[in-house]
Amino acid sequence: MAVINITKDNFEEKVLNAEGKVLLDFWATWCGPCRMIAPIVEEIASETPGLTVGKINVDEEMELAVQFGVVSIPMLVVLEKGKIVNKSVGYAPKAELLKLL
């Protein structure tokens, strides 16, 4: 499945109403570790059936960043039925990110 750009306008539909788990990647264009983790997140999205993967640009979606308490990026959050079940802050290798799911 392709990575979805999440905004406050599509958050309810794409995240809260999603079937199965959702992986959210909070990132910014100026963030080096975010650029390093991006291809891993895209791999996970294409290799994991039933997983919804969304990217949230913290500079453009401050409201969502505040809602999730983002203080450092990259921050990955796993949700199930709209509830946070796991999260990770900073760069991590693919094996560590898969453990979040």
Side-chain angles (χ1 to χ4, degrees):
M1 180 178 277
V3 176
I4 304 165
N5 185 40
I6 302 295
T7 66
K8 65 180 184 199
D9 296 329
N10 70 3
F11 182 79
E12 184 174 346
E13 173 195 351
K14 300 291 186 184
V15 176
L16 298 182
N17 295 334
E19 292 290 324
K21 289 185 180 176
V22 178
L23 174 64
L24 296 177
D25 176 11
F26 289 87
W27 69 287
T29 56
W30 49 263
C31 168
C34 297
R35 289 194 303 271
M36 290 169 53
I37 211 168
I40 298 170
V41 170
E42 292 192 19
E43 275 181 38
I44 291 171
S46 67
E47 297 171 357
T48 312
L51 177 68
T52 300
V53 179
K55 293 181 72 72
I56 299 174
N57 184 322
V58 295
D59 290 331
E60 296 173 1
E61 297 297 330
M62 280 293 244
E63 194 174 306
L64 289 174
V66 169
Q67 180 180 331
F68 280 85
V70 176
V71 292
S72 185
I73 54 173
M75 183 170 112
L76 298 177
V77 177
V78 179
L79 294 101
E80 195 164 15
K81 297 180 183 164
K83 304 277 187 239
I84 296 173
V85 295
N86 223 334
K87 75 178 177 177
S88 171
V89 177
Y91 175 83
K94 184 176 179 180
E96 292 299 313
L97 298 181
L98 288 172
K99 289 179 187 175
L100 293 174
L101 304 176

